[in-house]
Amino acid sequence: MAGSMAAGEPRAEDAFDVEAVHRWLSERVPGLPGPPEVRQFGGGSSNLTFLLAYPGRNLVLRRPPHGRKAASAHDMGREVAVQRGLAPFWPMVPKVYGFCEDTSVIGAEFYVMEHLAGVILGSELPPGVELDPARARVLGETVIDTLADLHGVDVGKAGLAALGKGQGYVRRQIEGWSRRWLGAATDDAPDAGPLLAWLDGNQPGDVAARMLHGDWKLDNLVLDLDGPAPRVVGVLDWEMATVGDPLMDLGASMAYWVTADDDPFFALLRRQPSHLPGMPTREEMVARYLERTGLPANGWRFYEVYGLFRLAVIAQQIWARYRAGQTTNPAFKDFGSAVAVLVDRATRLIPERA
């Protein structure tokens, strides 16, 4: 976890027995001096992440959110297996020091990993951080190169092939996200019928079975921006990782890559500084990825539409919870409008409607 990411006092409902964690961790990391100071990293409804600040050393604890039963989206053992499997072949994952399956320690499974020092970028550059056009371009290229290299890991050698369910990844994703859309539809949801029908009727076969991150965007990357060129020093948030079609991972990632020349409504959805002068366009990012991986370049439109639809579903799920009063986070008050923008943009990309 990066030193630049804000960490504050733990929320009362998320507090845990620090002494119990320290006793458990001391058996796995010798020489830890006394219980740590605990800070909580900000976040929404995903896994809870805490900084364990020991004198001269920081560690990070991850646990599932409260009130959730075991599910793949919050499976601590899965996150640990992915990171440990990847580590010898792709040195971008934090080192895991221990995984606790004994829920009696803090009331849930958890694991502790190293804290990665660096910068995590949000929608705007943090104070004191500057990226001229040349460095911004290198950063964009590094982001896509790192994803391509992840997709090049031999999942068999990494012991992670079992994460996949075999051929049919594209079909399963379209069916799953379509089902989630229908389940989260509100009375103000836009008409996505033509979009669902096109995605269902134009599915390509899987191009490969590769290691996927599942949520590839800048706020999940720890960066070194002080050296001669920007570089990625670590990748976080492996809860959606799996084995499947890499072009689906790329399509999902590019939905977040909002650039300066995008229309104003789509630009309102930007959550990373991909708009900076010098940043590669989506077309340049995709071309660079395809060249680096050697994967087939035909039919990109499907993956582009899928990425936008997937993001629309995620936003709609959050909007449905907000409408129902299940969350009062003011950051979600405009998600209904965001859903409409995403569905409209994806629908306009359908070739028959071009």
Side-chain angles (χ1 to χ4, degrees):
M1 193 65 62
S4 66
M5 179 177 275
E9 288 293 326
R11 293 184 288 268
E13 65 268 25
D14 296 336
F16 57 85
D17 188 336
V18 179
E19 290 276 1
V21 168
H22 174 66
R23 288 194 298 271
W24 176 89
L25 188 56
S26 294
E27 297 176 0
R28 291 150 182 85
V29 184
L32 292 176
E37 177 186 353
V38 177
R39 309 284 284 176
Q40 185 170 12
F41 291 104
S45 60
S46 189
N47 292 330
L48 305 178
T49 309
F50 302 86
L51 177 70
L52 307 180
Y54 285 94
R57 182 175 195 176
N58 290 332
L59 300 172
V60 171
L61 181 147
R62 291 261 290 172
R63 59 150 293 166
H66 296 281
R68 302 287 185 97
K69 298 199 174 182
S72 61
H74 304 286
D75 185 342
M76 297 291 97
R78 184 185 181 93
E79 285 194 37
V80 168
V82 167
Q83 291 176 93
R84 284 178 167 167
L86 284 175
F89 306 96
W90 191 76
M92 292 289 175
V93 288
K95 179 180 179 180
V96 175
Y97 288 103
F99 171 44
C100 182
E101 299 178 80
D102 181 359
T103 59
S104 69
V105 179
I106 64 169
E109 294 182 344
F110 68 91
Y111 69 93
V112 175
M113 62 182 176
E114 70 174 314
H115 176 275
L116 298 175
V119 175
I120 295 177
L121 296 178
S123 57
E124 306 297 336
L125 295 179
V129 174
E130 296 183 3
L131 282 174
D132 61 33
R135 289 175 67 83
R137 183 164 192 86
V138 171
L139 174 57
E141 292 173 344
T142 300
V143 167
I144 203 65
D145 288 352
T146 307
L147 177 62
D149 292 346
L150 169 64
H151 290 168
V153 172
D154 187 322
V155 293
K157 290 182 179 178
L160 298 171
L163 290 176
K165 296 180 180 179
Q167 281 293 312
Y169 179 83
V170 173
R171 173 182 51 78
R172 290 190 295 272
Q173 289 298 298
I174 298 305
E175 290 176 351
W177 288 107
S178 297
R179 186 169 57 249
R180 293 181 195 105
W181 171 266
L182 296 173
T186 50
D187 56 13
D188 62 344
D191 178 16
L195 189 54
L196 270 68
W198 186 84
L199 286 167
D200 180 62
N202 290 273
Q203 298 173 34
D206 297 359
V207 301
R210 303 286 175 84
M211 189 70 228
L212 313 184
H213 179 267
D215 198 25
W216 191 266
K217 56 188 192 296
L218 273 165
D219 64 5
N220 282 329
L221 309 182
V222 184
L223 306 173
D224 174 7
L225 298 179
D226 295 329
R231 65 186 185 95
V232 178
V233 297
V235 178
L236 309 175
D237 209 355
W238 291 92
E239 62 183 291
M240 297 178 73
T242 190
V243 172
D245 188 322
L247 294 183
M248 297 289 273
D249 211 18
L250 178 64
S253 177
M254 288 298 96
Y256 293 109
W257 197 261
V258 180
T259 54
D261 60 349
D262 279 315
D263 67 73
F265 293 105
F266 188 56
L268 292 174
L269 303 176
R270 184 179 56 77
R271 295 294 182 268
Q272 56 186 359
S274 47
H275 68 306
L276 293 176
M279 281 288 191
T281 65
R282 283 184 296 277
E283 292 76 15
E284 289 171 331
M285 295 279 275
V286 171
R288 186 179 180 93
Y289 170 92
L290 294 174
E291 181 180 5
R292 192 174 182 94
T293 60
L295 291 170
N298 295 330
W300 168 248
R301 181 61 56 87
F302 176 86
Y303 305 100
E304 184 178 17
V305 172
Y306 158 74
L308 291 166
F309 174 64
R310 173 185 176 274
L311 188 53
V313 176
I314 293 170
Q316 178 63 31
Q317 289 175 315
I318 295 171
W319 176 241
R321 293 202 302 271
Y322 184 83
R323 280 278 306 270
Q326 296 170 357
T327 175
T328 58
N329 188 333
F332 302 150
K333 66 182 178 62
D334 296 322
F335 270 47
S337 299
V339 172
V341 170
L342 287 163
V343 169
D344 177 68
R345 186 178 181 88
T347 303
R348 286 189 287 111
L349 283 173
I350 294 175
E352 291 84 351
R353 293 174 170 260

